[in-house]
Amino acid sequence: MMKDRSRPWRWKSLAACAIGITLTVNAAEVSVPSAVPSPNDSGATSTPVGTANDLDAEQLRKMFLEQQLQLAEQQRQLDELRRELADQKVAPAATVAAPAATPVQIVPAAFSPAPAPAAAQAPAVASDTNAKLDTMQKSIDALNRGINGFRFTGDLRFRTDVLVRKANKSLPPTDNRATPQQRARERYRFRFNIDKDLMEKEGAPAKASIHVQLATDPFNNPSTMDTDFAGISTRAPISIAEAYVDFRPMKGVTLRAGRTTELYADNRQFVYDDDIRFNGFHETYRWTGKKNGLFVQVAAAQYILTDPNIQVLPAGSPFLAAGYSVGQRVPSSNLLDQGITVGSNIGKKWSHNETFNYFVVREPNQIQLASTNGGAALFANSPVVGATLTSNLGETGNATTTAGGATYFASEFHVSKGGLNLNYSGKAWKGHNFPVSFFIQGTHNSGASFDQNGFMVGGNIGSVAKLGDVQFQYQYYYKPANAFISQFSDDDVGTGAGTNVKNNQIRVNFGINRFLVWENRLYIQKGISVNNPSINYFLPLQAGYNTQFRLHSQLVFTF
């Protein structure tokens, strides 16, 4: 009887099958790199966001894709082995070579050839692997969103601040224009942001969110968050600079309540200082078109500036200096701002947007009263730990009816403001992008008959996001004495006088890495108007002082 020689091949076939199945099952245990994103690293400049220590989510996914392409070849070898095993059932005449002893991992179906019928377990394993990858990606996304839904960002700025102005010796020593200015100081600012979404639903934007910002903040100067390198060994205060909640009841609608930036503040240093915050409410509706990036946004804001709570004004009250009468009720001071913004794309590279808003300051003389020695105490908080929390409100510059008085020369501040931004997304040159933008803004105060029109114009080229990036910017400001409230305007452009100034700003920034930028700004300042006693027109700082130069050179860290 002839021996059945197929039996040894059957044992070899069964062994090879066992090896293949074992490798297939083991491949389901996909090795995952241990690096996970950390929410504490970032590299933003206008709005900081978190990134990973070594690999962000996108880099991690790319790494897996590259790994999976390499494993596709191993999967192909495994499929060939299965086909050879199936052929041996018909003609078991050749020796089946086992694949090389390398780890085999199953590749998602998008990268794998269709498995042979004998490998029925492969799709199930691949599906399981995909599920694990999806789960891991969701975990990474959750880490990016922050710890327990909280997101933490912030910045730290170290600034060298130099101010130089020669004395005008043609004026008497009692005139402040005859006083020279020469100061060099070091300053720092720290801000820490906490954000969290509320009322979340899977696959839909959160219906609400909260935001809190803690910052270094000298209590006696609301127009700056800078702390000087001074005070011997005194510790700098930290305060709640921002605290608000946003509620989004429907698409395009946002309602805000709390302490926040002014609705139409834009960091252009024209009407509002970028450190000014108000207590109040915002309402915004934004409509977005389907083509060319078209959008229309209407918004309004109401801010509560003071709360005198005086029903009957007594004789001798400091409020009498602000134009109030004995026996009168003193209402609160408010700022109301409303407007519309429209924008769209122009081709592939260009875009534009235009904004028009109208704001009204009710009872403005209370603001000027807070800037005088007699009225400051009315708006001061209680002293704590031997420190006075507030002093005279700074950044005076508007015209008043008496020298250093508490009544503005402008009867009202009803200000119309318009602005245009034209943007070019940029062109790469030697590995660095150079976007371009042009901008112009103008204001008109209908509550005054002269010195009531202001404007700002400027341009920018380049941006800073990495080593070697560079940015150039120029702006010209014309801010007359009755244009808008000086105490809310920028304290860098005016240096102690928010209005009655014209100023050239030259800005050059250098990127060091995505976390660090070196910024440099030069301000060249002159005055506009002088006193006119015949019409009771007085200014804190008249024109006629020598050109004033101010330099800011600062390192800005973001996380």
Side-chain angles (χ1 to χ4, degrees):
M1 180 181 295
M2 183 178 293
K3 293 183 180 180
D4 185 358
R5 299 183 181 273
S6 63
R7 185 170 300 174
W9 294 112
R10 292 175 183 173
W11 286 107
K12 292 182 180 180
S13 300
L14 292 175
C17 287
I19 292 173
I21 293 172
T22 301
L23 292 174
T24 301
V25 174
N26 289 337
E29 300 296 328
V30 179
S31 59
V32 178
S34 60
V36 295
S38 167
N40 295 324
D41 297 321
S42 82
T45 53
S46 292
T47 286
V49 294
T51 61
N53 285 332
D54 299 311
L55 297 171
D56 59 20
E58 182 61 23
Q59 290 173 324
L60 188 60
R61 181 171 285 278
K62 288 182 178 179
M63 184 197 72
F64 270 102
L65 293 179
E66 293 173 356
Q67 184 186 43
Q68 290 161 356
L69 288 172
Q70 295 174 357
L71 296 175
E73 177 61 21
Q74 295 177 337
Q75 179 67 51
R76 184 187 63 79
Q77 295 177 7
L78 184 60
D79 291 337
E80 288 181 354
L81 174 61
R82 294 193 183 101
R83 285 194 293 270
E84 290 177 359
L85 292 174
D87 292 340
Q88 289 173 11
K89 293 181 179 180
V90 179
T95 302
V96 179
T102 56
V104 179
Q105 300 183 11
I106 294 300
V107 186
F111 300 97
S112 301
Q121 295 178 345
V125 176
S127 177
D128 181 64
T129 303
N130 279 329
K132 289 185 177 182
L133 288 173
D134 291 340
T135 300
M136 183 187 65
Q137 184 62 54
K138 290 179 180 179
S139 299
I140 292 172
D141 293 339
L143 286 173
N144 284 337
R145 287 194 297 270
I147 301 174
N148 197 25
F150 286 92
R151 300 183 298 278
F152 306 104
T153 58
D155 61 76
L156 175 62
R157 183 178 72 188
F158 290 99
R159 168 185 285 181
T160 296
D161 187 353
V162 179
L163 177 64
V164 177
R165 187 182 80 199
K166 292 183 178 180
N168 186 342
K169 297 182 179 180
S170 64
L171 299 172
T174 55
D175 194 311
N176 57 7
R177 294 170 294 177
T179 302
Q181 297 289 339
Q182 184 174 345
R183 184 177 188 180
R185 57 181 172 175
E186 301 297 322
R187 316 183 82 186
Y188 68 89
R189 182 191 72 184
F190 173 72
R191 299 186 297 188
F192 182 69
N193 302 302
I194 306 170
D195 294 271
K196 180 174 174 53
D197 290 333
L198 306 173
M199 302 172 65
E200 295 180 280
K201 186 177 180 181
E202 186 70 24
K207 291 292 185 180
S209 60
I210 59 172
H211 169 82
V212 176
Q213 182 183 87
L214 305 178
T216 52
D217 198 357
F219 295 140
N220 65 340
N221 189 353
S223 62
T224 185
M225 294 182 184
D226 291 329
T227 298
D228 290 353
F229 281 23
I232 306 178
S233 61
T234 305
R235 287 183 289 273
I238 292 287
S239 66
I240 298 178
E242 300 174 1
Y244 58 80
V245 57
D246 283 339
F247 178 55
R248 292 172 283 272
M250 62 182 67
K251 181 179 180 182
V253 175
T254 301
L255 308 177
R256 174 176 295 183
R259 180 173 174 84
T260 179
T261 55
E262 209 282 337
L263 179 62
Y264 286 97
D266 54 10
N267 288 331
R268 294 294 190 195
Q269 300 176 277
F270 180 44
V271 175
Y272 293 105
D273 190 291
D274 60 1
D275 286 336
I276 287 289
R277 302 293 185 269
F278 294 120
N279 301 304
F281 309 91
H282 290 181
E283 303 85 36
T284 302
Y285 172 72
R286 184 183 181 94
W287 174 85
T288 303
K290 296 182 179 180
K291 294 182 179 180
N292 300 324
L294 176 65
F295 73 92
V296 178
Q297 178 172 295
V298 292
Q302 307 83 39
Y303 304 111
I304 301 171
L305 304 180
T306 67
D307 182 20
N309 193 27
I310 298 177
Q311 310 306 318
V312 179
L313 187 65
S317 171
F319 276 99
L320 297 175
Y324 296 99
S325 304
V326 174
Q328 178 183 350
R329 173 182 175 272
V330 180
S332 62
S333 178
N334 309 102
L335 170 60
L336 310 176
D337 198 355
Q338 45 277 312
I340 183 171
T341 301
V342 179
S344 69
N345 298 328
I346 307 174
K348 296 182 179 180
K349 289 282 189 175
W350 291 89
S351 65
H352 71 96
N353 62 78
E354 295 79 38
T355 297
F356 174 80
N357 64 295
Y358 175 74
F359 62 90
V360 176
V361 180
R362 297 175 54 192
E363 306 296 326
N365 287 338
Q366 292 185 26
I367 302 169
Q368 180 62 23
L369 179 61
S371 297
T372 65
N373 291 330
L378 297 170
F379 306 95
N381 295 319
S382 300
V384 293
V385 197
T388 301
L389 297 183
T390 62
S391 60
N392 297 7
L393 198 62
E395 293 308 306
T396 58
N398 294 116
T400 56
T401 56
T402 59
T407 303
Y408 288 121
F409 181 85
S411 59
E412 297 175 329
F413 284 91
H414 293 184
V415 182
S416 302
K417 174 175 171 287
L420 164 68
N421 294 291
L422 183 62
N423 306 304
Y424 175 69
S425 60
K427 186 175 182 180
W429 183 69
K430 293 188 176 180
H432 303 280
N433 191 42
F434 286 87
V436 179
S437 62
F438 301 97
F439 40 88
I440 184 171
Q441 295 180 14
T443 61
H444 171 74
N445 179 18
S446 61
S449 57
F450 65 95
D451 278 352
Q452 79 275 41
N453 298 318
F455 70 90
M456 179 274 294
V457 62
N460 175 88
I461 180 171
S463 63
V464 288
K466 61 181 180 179
L467 178 63
D469 284 350
V470 63
Q471 177 184 10
F472 303 94
Q473 183 170 306
Y474 170 79
Q475 286 177 259
Y476 177 77
Y477 304 87
Y478 186 83
K479 304 165 68 172
N482 299 321
F484 36 76
I485 299 292
S486 176
Q487 285 88 338
F488 299 156
S489 194
D490 192 270
D491 63 329
D492 297 329
V493 172
T495 307
T499 55
N500 197 38
V501 297
K502 49 187 177 181
N503 197 304
N504 294 274
Q505 180 190 165
I506 301 170
R507 182 174 179 178
V508 183
N509 299 335
F510 300 96
I512 298 177
N513 57 44
R514 61 181 181 174
F515 307 105
L516 177 60
V517 177
W518 179 26
E519 298 181 348
N520 300 274
R521 305 184 189 188
L522 174 64
Y523 303 92
I524 306 171
Q525 177 184 331
K526 298 282 286 186
I528 297 177
S529 298
V530 297
N531 293 343
N532 187 349
S534 65
I535 60 172
N536 298 322
Y537 191 76
F538 297 91
L539 298 160
L541 181 61
Q542 305 177 69
Y545 54 86
N546 288 321
T547 302
Q548 181 167 284
F549 300 91
R550 188 173 185 180
L551 173 66
H552 285 167
S553 183
Q554 57 198 29
L555 292 173
V556 181
F557 302 84
T558 57
F559 62 90

